[in-house]
């Protein structure tokens, strides 16, 4: 059963429900802008998910890290071992007895749910389904999730998100744990996890990174804990950008050899002498013209001579 089309005409929830109803086997590809998500289907159930883009957690390794079940040092060590052995991180982690098979399958299910919630917000894009294909050919882990359950959870989150976002509009807001609640109520497992993870003045976005329960569940738990007075919101934590030190490069002055300097000086002198000499020639020419006129008209000597004698005094 091959199919393709526009998300505007056939929405993501409708596509997932359609494939579930027809117990499809294959790979569903969804693309919107720069984001691309693939879902693997087996008898109408979602078995795995793959993301290519900018907004979501890109690899299962990042989801493993965000659970907090493995320390950053151990994570880096096993990542290197996986590369050397040519195996996936999940296989190396399971062989090292760091996580059980159930833990790993829970992480895969968590990734599928987070990815599903993201694509449910897409209003534009394209989809295609390739029957008989497999997303991961040799994965030793098996997860089968009901699409309708994932869609219902995703829609619930979308409905609740505006209220949460209004209460927590800034991801850089700092949080502080309070010892006593203003309202005594029982809290859930997610809220307990958040209280355990909160360090002094941790920001909301930092908490999302270490909570291991995803963005929505972290925001939702923080919202509930602030409502009952177990968490205090402080001011937004401004992260100062590291300013690169200003470096002043001394510009090298253009230097000429001494001979060139002298040549320029001599040239400047010659130009001035030339213009001075030219100016004097004009004056001499004018004097010669006057003398010539005097020879032609001797009567003018009587007029000019007294003035000349006056200048000589």
């Amino acid at each position: 059963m091959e199919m393709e089309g526009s998300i505007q005409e056939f929405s993501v929830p409708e596509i997932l429900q359609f494939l579930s109803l027809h117990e499809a086997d294959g790979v569903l590809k969804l693309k919107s802008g720069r984001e691309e998500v693939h879902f693997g289907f087996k008898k109408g159930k979602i078995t795995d998910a793959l993301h290519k883009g900018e907004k979501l957690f890109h690899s299962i390794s990042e989801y493993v890290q965000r659970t907090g079940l493995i320390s950053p040092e151990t994570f880096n060590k096993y990542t290197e071992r996986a590369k050397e052995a040519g195996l996936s991180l999940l296989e190396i982690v399971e062989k090292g007895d760091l996580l059980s098979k159930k833990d790993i399958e829970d992480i895969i299910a968590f990734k599928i749910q987070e990815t599903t919630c993201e694509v449910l917000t897409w209003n534009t894009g394209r989809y295609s389904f390739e029957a008989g294909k497999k997303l991961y050919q040799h994965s030793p882990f098996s997860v089968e999730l009901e699409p309708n359950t994932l869609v219902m959870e995703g829609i619930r989150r979308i409905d609740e998100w505006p209220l949460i976002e209004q209460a927590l509009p800034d991801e850089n807001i700092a949080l502080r744990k309070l010892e006593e609640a203003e309202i005594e109520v029982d809290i859930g497992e997610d809220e307990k996890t958040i209280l355990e993870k909160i360090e002094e003045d941790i920001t909301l976005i930092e908490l999302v990174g270490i909570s291991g329960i995803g963005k929505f569940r972290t925001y939702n738990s923080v919202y509930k804990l602030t409502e009952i007075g177990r968490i205090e919101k402080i001011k937004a934590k401004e992260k100062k950008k590291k300013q690169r030190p200003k470096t002043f490069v001394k510009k090298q002055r253009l230097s000429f050899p001494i001979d060139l300097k002298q040549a320029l000086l001599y040239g400047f002198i010659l130009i001035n002498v030339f213009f001075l000499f030219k100016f004097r020639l004009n004056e001499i020419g004018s004097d010669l013209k006057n003398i010539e006129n005097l020879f032609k008209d001797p009567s003018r000597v009587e007029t000019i001579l007294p003035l000349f004698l006056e200048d000589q005094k």
Side-chain angles (χ1 to χ4, degrees):
M1 178 181 60
E2 304 287 335
M3 54 185 288
E4 63 177 324
S6 169
I7 291 175
Q8 294 94 309
E9 298 174 358
F10 201 22
S11 68
V12 174
E14 291 173 329
I15 297 168
L16 297 177
Q17 290 169 348
F18 178 84
L19 295 174
S20 174
L21 180 64
H22 289 81
E23 298 185 348
D25 288 310
V27 175
L28 171 66
K29 297 181 180 180
L30 302 162
K31 187 172 183 180
S32 179
R34 295 183 180 180
E35 305 294 320
E36 187 172 349
V37 167
H38 299 177
F39 289 108
F41 276 81
K42 181 180 179 182
K43 294 183 178 180
K45 291 184 171 54
I46 297 178
T47 57
D48 34 45
L50 170 68
H51 171 256
K52 301 176 184 177
E54 298 176 345
K55 294 182 180 179
L56 306 181
F57 303 148
H58 293 181
S59 68
I60 192 66
S61 300
E62 293 181 64
Y63 282 91
V64 172
Q65 195 173 19
R66 280 169 169 77
T67 61
L69 299 174
I70 301 177
S71 67
E73 296 79 12
T74 304
F75 176 84
N76 293 332
K77 182 174 70 175
Y78 274 79
T79 300
E80 289 299 321
R81 287 187 185 179
K83 289 179 181 178
E84 293 172 0
L87 299 173
S88 70
L89 176 67
L90 296 183
E91 292 174 290
I92 292 292
V93 166
E94 187 192 20
K95 288 181 179 180
D97 293 328
L98 289 176
L99 296 176
S100 67
K101 189 172 183 179
K102 184 181 182 305
D103 289 333
I104 294 173
E105 290 175 351
D106 287 345
I107 292 171
I108 295 172
F110 168 58
K111 178 186 177 184
I112 293 172
Q113 179 67 74
E114 293 294 297
T115 306
T116 303
C117 291
E118 177 66 25
V119 297
L120 288 177
T121 64
W122 293 4
N123 297 317
T124 61
R126 302 285 302 176
Y127 72 87
S128 64
F129 182 77
E130 298 179 14
K133 299 285 185 179
K134 285 188 177 180
L135 194 54
Y136 297 108
Q137 296 290 337
H138 308 292
S139 175
F141 307 103
S142 177
V143 174
E144 295 182 5
L145 302 178
E146 180 61 52
N148 290 330
T149 304
L150 296 171
V151 169
M152 288 177 64
E153 172 63 17
I155 292 174
R156 181 187 70 82
R157 294 185 182 188
I158 292 171
D159 289 341
E160 294 180 5
W161 181 250
L163 184 61
I164 297 172
E165 191 177 32
Q166 185 177 1
L168 302 168
D170 188 351
E171 64 181 12
N172 290 312
I173 192 170
L175 304 169
R176 184 177 297 161
K177 181 168 55 176
L178 301 176
E179 294 302 324
E180 295 183 4
E182 295 177 1
I183 305 173
E184 291 295 334
V185 294
D186 294 331
I187 59 176
E189 291 301 319
D190 283 355
E191 287 75 32
K192 291 178 182 178
T193 298
I194 292 301
L195 289 175
E196 290 174 1
K197 298 286 184 180
I198 284 188
E199 302 169 356
E200 184 177 358
D201 295 351
I202 190 172
T203 63
L204 185 56
I205 188 63
E206 290 169 343
L207 187 58
V208 171
I210 65 171
S211 67
I213 59 175
K215 180 177 179 178
F216 176 83
R217 287 163 62 188
T218 299
Y219 269 70
N220 190 36
S221 299
V222 169
Y223 169 69
K224 290 178 180 178
L225 290 169
T226 53
E227 287 294 301
I228 64 173
R230 286 300 306 272
I231 288 180
E232 178 185 20
K233 292 185 291 185
I234 316 174
K235 62 181 180 180
K237 193 174 181 181
E238 295 181 359
K239 294 186 178 180
K240 295 183 178 179
K241 294 183 179 179
K242 292 183 179 179
Q243 293 185 350
R244 298 176 66 180
K246 294 182 179 179
T247 55
F248 298 94
V249 180
K250 187 177 180 181
K251 294 183 179 180
Q252 294 183 350
R253 296 179 64 182
L254 189 61
S255 59
F256 295 101
I258 187 66
D259 292 342
L260 182 56
K261 287 183 178 179
Q262 290 177 345
L264 291 173
L265 178 60
Y266 294 153
F268 178 74
I269 294 172
L270 288 173
I271 290 171
N272 280 274
V273 169
F274 171 76
F275 280 105
L276 181 62
F277 182 69
K278 183 180 178 181
F279 177 74
R280 292 299 302 157
L281 281 177
N282 291 336
E283 287 186 346
I284 292 171
S286 179
D287 292 340
L288 291 174
K289 187 71 174 175
N290 291 333
I291 293 171
E292 182 183 358
N293 292 333
L294 288 175
F295 280 111
K296 290 180 180 180
D297 185 7
S299 63
R300 296 180 62 185
V301 175
E302 298 175 359
T303 305
I304 298 172
L305 185 58
L307 296 175
F308 175 75
L309 293 174
E310 185 69 25
D311 288 340
Q312 294 302 314
K313 293 179 183 180

